[in-house]
Amino acid sequence: MEELRDALAAHGITLPSLRVDLPSFAAEYRPPAGLIALGNCNAATAYRLAAVLRGDGRMQGPPPLDLELAAMPEALAGLRRTVRRHLDVPCDDVQLCVTELVANVVRHVGEGTPVRVRVARTDGGCVRVEVTDPDARALPVLVRAADDEEEGRGLALLDAVASRWGVEQGSVGKTVWCELGGPMPLGT
């Protein structure tokens, strides 16, 4: 929303018929969860609109995949398929990271927790995976699992395949993210 607000302000965009300054309106209006304040568009549309207003609106590959779902073990296989179809290229590492991050929410926050999963290409062509959940206290910790332990390897796997990863805490909830490798080929 910040990118969109800045791009609109740079172009002096207002709604003259309503005498409303869109950047100010966007800062005050509280839309339903998951929607951006301007026109109740979703985040993917807001990013595309901001890119067009900045003059770099050439889309390279698909827009970000943005999903809201309940974190359930039985949802993981479908989530992997959705990511693969969205990126339209072999993406085992991306699928692994999405699965591990959502599985961590199931394990450490609770089955059925609402999550937002976002998969997007960065400006450098890498793929960024974000999983947002409502519990700001349950932070991921990279640990070394003993050889005979059956759990505790998810973040180690993520750490091994991702170029970098981290956690962004909000006042309500957190986003665990990772970025994978160099540029991935675009789908056909």
Side-chain angles (χ1 to χ4, degrees), residues 72-132:
M72 304 287 283
E74 53 272 12
L76 297 176
L79 185 56
R80 284 190 296 272
R81 282 190 301 275
T82 300
V83 168
R84 169 65 177 86
R85 276 195 303 268
H86 176 75
L87 292 176
D88 199 25
V89 294
C91 56
D92 295 341
D93 290 348
V94 175
Q95 291 170 301
L96 171 74
C97 291
V98 167
T99 299
E100 289 304 326
L101 292 176
V102 174
N104 275 348
V105 173
V106 171
R107 193 171 299 116
H108 301 289
V109 180
E111 196 168 306
T113 300
V115 294
R116 176 178 170 248
V117 176
R118 187 168 195 274
V119 178
R121 293 183 191 279
T122 66
D123 289 340
C126 297
V127 173
R128 181 175 172 104
V129 173
E130 300 174 353
V131 174
T132 303

Side-chain angles (χ1 to χ4, degrees), residues 5-180:
R5 188 180 301 126
D6 292 345
L8 287 167
H11 284 64
I13 295 176
T14 60
L15 292 175
S17 62
L18 300 176
R19 300 193 194 305
V20 174
D21 170 57
L22 284 181
S24 300
F25 178 73
E28 296 170 8
Y29 176 67
R30 300 289 176 242
L35 299 178
I36 302 300
L38 298 171
N40 287 340
C41 64
N42 65 27
T45 301
Y47 281 116
R48 292 179 76 181
L49 179 56
V52 168
L53 290 170
R54 284 192 312 264
D56 61 346
R58 300 168 301 282
M59 292 301 293
Q60 294 188 355
L65 173 66
D66 228 337
L67 301 170
E68 291 188 17
L69 59 124
M72 304 287 283
E74 53 272 12
L76 297 176
L79 185 56
R80 284 190 296 272
R81 282 190 301 275
T82 300
V83 168
R84 169 65 177 86
R85 276 195 303 268
H86 176 75
L87 292 176
D88 199 25
V89 294
C91 56
D92 295 341
D93 290 348
V94 175
Q95 291 170 301
L96 171 74
C97 291
V98 167
T99 299
E100 289 304 326
L101 292 176
V102 174
N104 275 348
V105 173
V106 171
R107 193 171 299 116
H108 301 289
V109 180
E111 196 168 306
T113 300
V115 294
R116 176 178 170 248
V117 176
R118 187 168 195 274
V119 178
R121 293 183 191 279
T122 66
D123 289 340
C126 297
V127 173
R128 181 175 172 104
V129 173
E130 300 174 353
V131 174
T132 303
D133 71 70
D135 191 342
R137 298 167 298 141
L139 298 177
V141 177
L142 182 60
V143 295
R144 296 246 185 263
D147 290 343
D148 59 344
E149 290 184 273
E150 293 185 24
E151 294 183 350
R153 291 181 177 78
L155 276 181
L157 286 170
L158 184 134
D159 189 59
V161 300
S163 0
R164 61 191 196 121
W165 67 275
V167 180
E168 295 172 2
Q169 284 184 278
S171 57
V172 177
K174 68 178 172 302
T175 298
V176 183
W177 60 269
C178 66
E179 290 182 355
L180 290 107

